Amino acid sequence: MSKPDMEKLEAGVSTLLEAYRRLKEQNESLAGQVEGLKRESESLLKEKEFVKEKLERLAELESETRKDQADREKIREKVVQLLEKLDRFDLT
């Protein structure tokens, strides 16, 4: 093989090795980013589940509050009725 052909071949191999090195570095960087995104996704899924549980609990509390409010209104009505009966009741 002639000297110019060898030099061309060496230059080509050198270029390929450099391109391989850059691609390998880029691949490692992207793999790191993927791992970071996976961790972030897991964290967001946990947060989503936490928020879902809290929303369910909030809905339960709101339902209980409405029920309690209805019960308080019934009790008020009964107290008013009892007070009216007491007012009408004459001990003398």
Side-chain angles (χ1 to χ4, degrees), residues 1-14:
M1 198 178 237
S2 67
K3 188 172 183 177
D5 289 340
M6 274 303 266
E7 289 173 354
K8 282 183 185 179
L9 183 59
E10 287 175 356
V13 169
S14 178

Side-chain angles (χ1 to χ4, degrees), residues 33-44:
Q33 289 178 3
V34 166
E35 285 302 315
L37 290 171
K38 283 181 182 178
R39 285 191 300 273
E40 187 176 342
S41 174
E42 290 171 3
S43 174
L44 289 172

Side-chain angles (χ1 to χ4, degrees), residues 1-90:
M1 198 178 237
S2 67
K3 188 172 183 177
D5 289 340
M6 274 303 266
E7 289 173 354
K8 282 183 185 179
L9 183 59
E10 287 175 356
V13 169
S14 178
T15 301
L16 286 174
L17 287 174
E18 182 61 27
Y20 172 77
R21 185 191 59 77
R22 281 194 312 268
L23 288 173
K24 186 176 177 182
E25 287 175 359
Q26 187 177 20
N27 186 40
E28 290 171 357
S29 173
L30 291 172
Q33 289 178 3
V34 166
E35 285 302 315
L37 290 171
K38 283 181 182 178
R39 285 191 300 273
E40 187 176 342
S41 174
E42 290 171 3
S43 174
L44 289 172
L45 287 173
K46 287 178 185 177
E47 186 176 342
K48 178 183 175 183
E49 186 61 31
F50 176 78
V51 168
K52 181 181 174 185
E53 290 172 5
K54 293 301 175 184
L55 286 173
E56 288 172 356
R57 179 65 179 141
L58 180 60
E60 290 172 7
L61 290 172
E62 287 174 341
S63 175
E64 289 175 16
T65 299
R66 284 190 297 275
K67 184 179 177 239
D68 289 346
Q69 188 174 7
D71 290 345
R72 281 192 302 269
E73 289 174 8
K74 288 178 185 176
I75 291 170
R76 281 190 195 113
E77 288 174 13
K78 288 181 181 181
V79 168
V80 167
Q81 290 172 359
L82 286 172
L83 288 174
E84 288 173 354
K85 284 182 182 179
L86 282 174
D87 282 344
R88 285 185 257 146
F89 184 71
D90 190 10

